[in-house]
Amino acid sequence: MSIVFVNIALSLDGFMAPEGITTENWDRPEYKNWGAKWGALMAWVFNQQHFLERLKLGSGGETSPVNDMLRHTAERTGAHIMGKRMFDGGERGWPEEAPFHMPL
């Protein structure tokens, strides 16, 4: 039997997907200030050693219990499932080698 682990990041105030955010606005972080809001919401993860190394963004970072949680989560994840909006945005925003390094 397979194990399904669900991890969803969202905000109740629309930071992740403000009204009107479409792939046409993906390259416009000033649109409803979504870029700054998203950055503020997700800033914690960009300081974690595991996140930086896994996404090949550099070395260093915090090695706290939060970092351990990220590492443990990644180690038990075999594939990612994402919605259409994230996939469409990623097609435009991610490099040739997507940051997941596993099946989508």
Side-chain angles (χ1 to χ4, degrees):
M1 176 186 283
S2 297
I3 296 173
V4 176
F5 170 74
V6 178
N7 180 21
I8 301 172
L10 63 103
S11 70
L12 298 177
D13 51 10
F15 280 10
M16 296 299 282
E19 182 181 340
I21 192 71
T22 63
T23 54
E24 290 77 31
N25 293 318
W26 177 261
D27 299 332
R28 296 179 48 223
E30 71 280 359
Y31 177 80
K32 296 196 177 187
N33 204 26
W34 80 265
K37 291 177 179 179
W38 183 87
L41 181 68
M42 299 303 292
W44 66 273
V45 78
F46 286 95
N47 295 325
Q48 304 303 314
Q49 181 185 45
H50 181 72
F51 182 82
L52 294 171
E53 291 173 356
R54 184 166 179 87
L55 272 63
K56 301 178 182 175
L57 297 173
S59 60
E62 296 179 15
T63 57
S64 65
V66 172
N67 185 68
D68 295 341
M69 180 268 309
L70 287 173
R71 182 179 313 282
H72 179 69
T73 300
E75 288 170 352
R76 62 187 180 151
T77 302
H80 287 275
I81 300 171
M82 67 178 63
K84 181 179 181 342
R85 292 177 100 184
M86 185 172 179
F87 182 82
D88 288 348
E91 284 277 291
R92 294 180 64 180
W94 292 323
E96 184 65 30
E97 183 183 348
F100 301 101
H101 309 292
M102 65 179 54
L104 291 178

